Amino acid sequence: MAARPLPIPLPLSTPGGPRPDPTFLAWAQQHSRERRRHDAELAQISRHPELNPTADAAHQLRAWATRHAHQKHLHDSALAQIRPHAS
């Protein structure tokens, strides 16, 4: 799914007043899009759970097992909350 560019707020002006340059608006939207993509790339690199620079298979399996255990814990916790409590 492609990210929708955020609209650039136009300065409040009276009708017939100065209008923003369409070339600048196009550049600003493109710059904003590139900035968001760059920030997403940096987040993947800096916050990725794989901390081993050699990325060996054993470490990848441990990282997957940790993520999987966390997901299972969240799933089990959610099910426990929606089940009626037997007293």
Side-chain angles (χ1 to χ4, degrees), residues 20-82:
D21 181 18
T23 306
F24 172 76
L25 291 177
W27 171 86
Q29 288 175 340
Q30 178 64 26
H31 178 71
S32 174
R33 194 175 306 121
E34 289 174 1
R35 183 71 183 188
R36 284 192 308 272
R37 287 181 183 158
H38 180 70
D39 289 346
E41 290 171 356
L42 286 179
Q44 283 184 337
I45 294 168
S46 61
R47 299 185 193 134
H48 194 276
E50 179 62 59
L51 301 177
N52 187 357
T54 60
D56 62 347
H59 189 76
Q60 290 178 6
L61 286 173
R62 282 196 304 273
W64 177 85
T66 302
R67 285 193 303 271
H68 184 70
H70 181 66
Q71 290 172 348
K72 183 174 179 355
H73 171 73
L74 291 176
H75 178 262
D76 294 345
S77 177
L79 287 179
Q81 289 179 8
I82 62 174

